[in-house]
């Protein structure tokens, strides 16, 4: 019998502290109206000093486990997507495994910047489809606020902190229909964050901070996401009209609107969370999916397209029958 990966639970966590555009505009030369018009963002959540990617991942993961009505010990594989791991090693996934008190499962991190959740989902789907795992926990958790140069108005307006999680299980009915992931390392200079621990004399001044040529990234994102929509539909022999929901990476409403236009979808069919969350990198798609599921917009049996684009460049999509 053919095996599929089915979503059986979702979860999410956003830190309590909210930083508004107004607050940012007191420190850099910008304004609420500029930020909102150009990005769609009004505020973002900022992790408290004692919070980490692992602590946020744990809260989101426990929610997904509760929603799935399983025991944590049933999980075979944990994949955490993060660009802000607590430690160089052990991986955030291993730290999460410890917190969830799971003795016997495999845990590892993946790093694909803002596309991390889609990459993790794609890997999870392969493990389930080929029979190597049944229950897989996928988490995206990010403390972007600690990578942001708060004096750089080109980036500090964009990012926020949070964690999203989903639990997948093997099933004999359709769930994940297909995943598509891509990378092109040619574009390193447009969006990068040097690791301060291994900085060289040459890059030590910019180490630890997000560095982005925003407008160039913007154009690449719009074009690339347009192409991945075509690729995903063609792989499934589907028409645009068959997609019920678009759950995009939350980088900029203008990028999201361009993808929706390409799909001839109204914005009412798009889960948009960035107004109050900003760009939470690898957490964003999972947080948006969790929101759409929990508020009842996304219903069982509906077709949902997830997509993301990020540093690398990396990009990808997942088509799901929820
Ligand atoms: O998630 C990973 C992928 N990341 C993204 O997808 C981000 C993609 N990029 C973007 O979202 C947009 O490019 C930004 C929101 C970052 C910038 O918007 P833009 O429309 O591309 O603006 P721009 O960079 O072309 O800058 C236009 C003007 C410039 O001024 P001049 O040179 O025209 O005088 C900037 O200096 O806007 C200025 N500017 C700002 N003004 C007020 C840039 N940032 C700000 C700011 N407030 N925060």
């Amino acid at each position: 019998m053919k095996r599929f990966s089915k979503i059986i639970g979702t979860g999410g966590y956003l830190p309590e502290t909210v930083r508004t555009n107004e607050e940012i505009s007191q420190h850099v030369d910008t304004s609420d109206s500029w930020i909102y018009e150009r990005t769609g963002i009004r505020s973002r959540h900022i992790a408290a000093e004692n919070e980490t990617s692992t602590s946020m991942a744990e809260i989101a993961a426990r929610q997904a486990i509760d929603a799935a009505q399983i025991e944590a010990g049933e999980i075979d594989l944990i994949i955490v997507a993060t660009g802000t791991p607590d430690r160089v090693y052990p991986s955030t996934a291993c730290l999460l495994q410890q917190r969830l008190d799971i003795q016997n499962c495999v845990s590892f991190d993946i790093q694909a910047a803002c596309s991390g959740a889609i990459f993790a989902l794609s890997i999870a789907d392969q493990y389930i489809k080929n029979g190597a795992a049944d229950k897989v926990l996928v988490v995206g958790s990010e403390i972007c606020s600690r990578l942001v140069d708060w004096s750089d108005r080109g980036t500090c307006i964009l990012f926020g902190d949070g964690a999203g999680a989903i639990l997948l299980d093997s099933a004999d009915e359709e769930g994940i229909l297909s995943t598509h992931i891509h990378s092109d390392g040619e574009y390193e200079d447009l969006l990068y964050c040097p690791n301060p621990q291994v900085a060289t004399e040459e890059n030590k001044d910019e180490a630890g901070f997000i560095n982005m040529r925003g407008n160039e990234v913007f154009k690449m994102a719009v074009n690339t996401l347009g192409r991945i929509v075509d690729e995903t539909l063609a792989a499934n022999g589907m028409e645009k009209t068959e997609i019920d929901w678009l759950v995009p990476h939350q980088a900029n409403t203008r990028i999201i609107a361009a993808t929706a236009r390409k799909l001839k979808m109204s914005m009412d069919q798009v889960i948009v969370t960035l107004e109050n969350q900003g760009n939470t990198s690898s957490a964003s798609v999972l947080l948006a999916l969790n929101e759409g599921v929990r508020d009842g917009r996304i219903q069982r049996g509906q077709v949902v397209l997830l997509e993301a684009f990020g540093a690398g460049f990396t990009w990808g999509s997942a088509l799901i029958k929820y």
Side-chain angles (χ1 to χ4, degrees):
M1 192 182 294
K2 208 168 171 197
R3 282 168 67 94
F4 295 95
S5 317
K6 193 98 192 154
I7 296 174
I8 57 166
T10 66
Y13 172 73
L14 293 162
E16 203 177 310
T17 300
V18 169
R19 190 167 295 169
T20 62
N21 292 349
E22 293 292 353
E23 288 171 82
I24 290 177
S25 59
Q26 284 161 22
H27 302 287
V28 289
D29 184 14
T30 189
S31 63
D32 175 50
S33 58
W34 193 96
I35 301 170
Y36 186 67
E37 276 161 32
R38 296 288 179 120
T39 69
I41 300 166
R42 287 238 188 251
S43 63
R44 67 288 292 143
H45 293 258
I46 306 290
E49 220 162 87
N50 63 349
E51 288 185 302
T52 66
S53 288
T54 307
S55 71
M56 298 196 303
E58 182 186 359
I59 300 170
R62 287 194 185 278
Q63 263 190 25
I65 291 166
D66 284 350
Q69 297 182 308
I70 65 156
E71 297 296 327
E74 294 176 56
I75 294 169
D76 302 307
L77 170 64
I78 299 174
I79 309 175
V80 176
T82 184
T84 51
D86 298 16
R87 297 174 186 259
V88 174
Y89 43 77
S91 67
T92 309
C94 281
L95 300 179
L96 178 60
Q97 176 184 356
Q98 180 198 43
R99 283 176 180 240
L100 296 175
D101 199 21
I102 306 172
Q103 270 78 44
N104 189 22
C105 85
V106 181
S107 309
F108 57 84
D109 286 2
I110 66 115
Q111 216 290 59
C114 296
S115 312
I118 303 288
F119 276 55
L121 207 55
S122 178
I123 297 165
D125 186 40
Q126 310 307 318
Y127 271 83
I128 292 174
K129 275 198 309 213
N130 73 19
D134 285 312
K135 293 186 174 56
V136 182
L137 174 64
V138 170
V139 181
S141 189
E142 299 280 5
I143 301 206
C144 298
S145 62
R146 292 187 196 152
L147 296 185
V148 162
D149 172 356
W150 287 96
S151 66
D152 173 13
R153 69 175 183 174
T155 52
C156 75
I157 57 166
L158 299 172
F159 295 95
D161 302 336
I166 60 173
L167 246 172
L168 297 165
D169 197 0
S170 59
D172 52 17
E173 62 180 61
E174 283 182 327
I176 295 181
L177 301 173
S178 69
T179 63
H180 307 266
I181 57 175
H182 299 275
S183 316
D184 186 345
E186 284 292 305
Y187 296 94
E188 175 194 358
D189 289 348
L190 297 190
L191 179 50
Y192 61 94
C193 178
N195 180 353
Q197 299 301 328
V198 290
T200 58
E201 205 42 48
E202 203 185 318
N203 71 1
K204 71 175 189 327
D205 292 340
E206 59 181 16
F209 294 118
I210 298 170
N211 206 302
M212 179 170 72
R213 300 210 319 246
N215 196 263
E216 287 162 82
V217 175
F218 183 97
K219 288 177 193 151
M220 285 292 300
V222 170
N223 292 332
T224 309
L225 291 170
R227 285 204 306 277
I228 199 121
V229 163
D230 289 336
E231 179 188 341
T232 311
L233 290 170
N236 290 279
M238 258 193 198
E239 300 295 328
K240 295 170 180 171
T241 49
E242 292 175 73
I243 298 179
D244 296 298
W245 292 101
L246 175 64
V247 181
H249 170 49
Q250 312 279 320
N252 187 313
T253 30
R254 292 183 290 140
I255 298 175
I256 295 173
T259 309
R261 269 198 305 278
K262 165 102 193 165
L263 281 163
K264 296 194 164 42
M265 288 172 91
S266 120
M267 287 303 279
D268 292 343
Q269 290 171 275
V270 185
I271 310 288
V272 182
T273 56
L274 95 170
E275 182 168 345
N276 301 312
Q277 294 180 14
N279 178 348
T280 57
S281 192
S282 67
S284 86
V285 171
L286 301 179
L287 276 165
L289 182 72
N290 181 51
E291 192 167 305
V293 165
R294 283 179 185 262
D295 68 20
R297 276 178 288 175
I298 299 175
Q299 296 284 323
R300 285 283 171 202
Q302 289 186 321
V303 177
V304 185
L305 176 63
L306 317 183
E307 47 85 341
F309 179 88
F313 287 136
T314 55
W315 63 100
S317 65
L319 193 70
I320 290 171
K321 192 158 193 184
Y322 178 65

